[in-house]
Structures are given as C-alpha cells and as structure tokens.
Amino acid sequence: MLLRFGPHLIKPSVVFLRTELSFALVNRRPVLPGHVLVCPLRPAPRFCDLSPQEVADLFGTAQRVAGVVERHFGGTSLTISLQDGPAAGQTVPHVHVHVLPRRVGDLPRNDGVYEKLEESEEASEDSSERWRSEEAMAAEAAELRKYFE
C-alpha cells in the first residue's frame, strides 16, 4: 500500500515502521547519516491539526525510532525537530518529525543542523538529481526494519 507524505506517494520499500497512526521512512536527502522522518498516516498539514491520539502515536513512534537510529548509526546524541508551517521551514504540508543521530564534530557548528535541515527541505522539492537512489533508500529501510520485527 502506498502512503502519502503531503503531495508525494511513498513506496513501501522506504518505510521501516508503521504503527496504528504513524509511519517512519528513510530520508531521500539526509542531512546526516541516519536522518529519518516520522509522520502521521493522515496527511495533516499542521501540528495543531492532529488529534491527541495522533500526537501521542507520532511522538511515541519518534521516541522508538530515535533509539534505534542513534544506536544503528553510532550516534551519541539526537536532534529531533518538527518544523510547523512555512515560516518555520516546513516545505511539505504534512506534519513530520526529523530524527537525526548526532556525534561530536559531525557538523562544524552544532546548531548548523537547523540550516542544513532548511537547505535539505528546500532542495528536496526541486532538485531530484541530488536525491538518493531508490535502491539505497530501500536498503537502509530494510536494515532499520529489522529492529522493529
């Protein structure tokens, strides 16, 4: 079954976890290795559009995913971010949580991750030649899927 991420159709091969109300997928243009997204199944444009049950499932899923990607990608910390609305840098009108495993020195400036997130979101909309291949994304999703079986 294909899922939606805003206007985009998401192939099952890039999804590594699905719950009753959320799903997690690998990122087609990760800022750092292990940068993944967690989204509600229902394509709600803004955080306040989610029901309390959707919020609970979304953040419970983000917490489960965070532990896995931090361990799998050798992180020692995490950046977890939700950009809510265009002025906050959200480019896909579907609530989504960015989960990035972090290590000391992974970026020249620690807070530079937010600039990188914005660049990644903007670039992902109009430069498909910079996206990872479907094969690479499917392989990463298959690795991560094993943690949730």
Side-chain angles (χ1 to χ4, degrees), residues 5 10 13-17 23-40 58 61-73 77-83 95-102 113 117 120-121 132 136-145 147-148:
F5 176 49
I10 302 300
S13 61
V14 302
V15 175
F16 61 90
L17 176 62
F23 67 101
L25 69 153
V26 298
N27 199 322
R28 66 182 177 188
R29 188 164 178 200
V31 169
L32 293 166
H35 176 189
V36 299
L37 303 176
V38 181
C39 310
L58 178 69
T61 302
Q63 184 180 44
R64 288 177 63 199
V65 166
V68 165
V69 297
E70 182 177 13
R71 187 171 56 253
H72 183 79
F73 290 95
S77 298
L78 294 158
T79 293
I80 300 170
S81 176
L82 188 156
Q83 296 158 295
V95 174
H96 55 287
V97 178
H98 295 265
V99 179
L100 296 88
R102 302 293 306 273
V113 70
L117 278 171
S120 178
E121 288 252 335
R132 293 194 297 165
M137 292 171 62
E140 183 176 298
E143 287 179 28
L144 293 173
R145 201 175 294 120
Y147 290 95
F148 300 100

Side-chain angles (χ1 to χ4, degrees), residues 41-63:
L41 287 172
R42 185 173 64 87
R46 299 286 308 277
F47 184 69
C48 287
D49 296 329
L50 298 175
S51 70
Q53 295 81 10
E54 287 171 316
V55 170
D57 191 84
L58 178 69
F59 279 95
T61 302
Q63 184 180 44

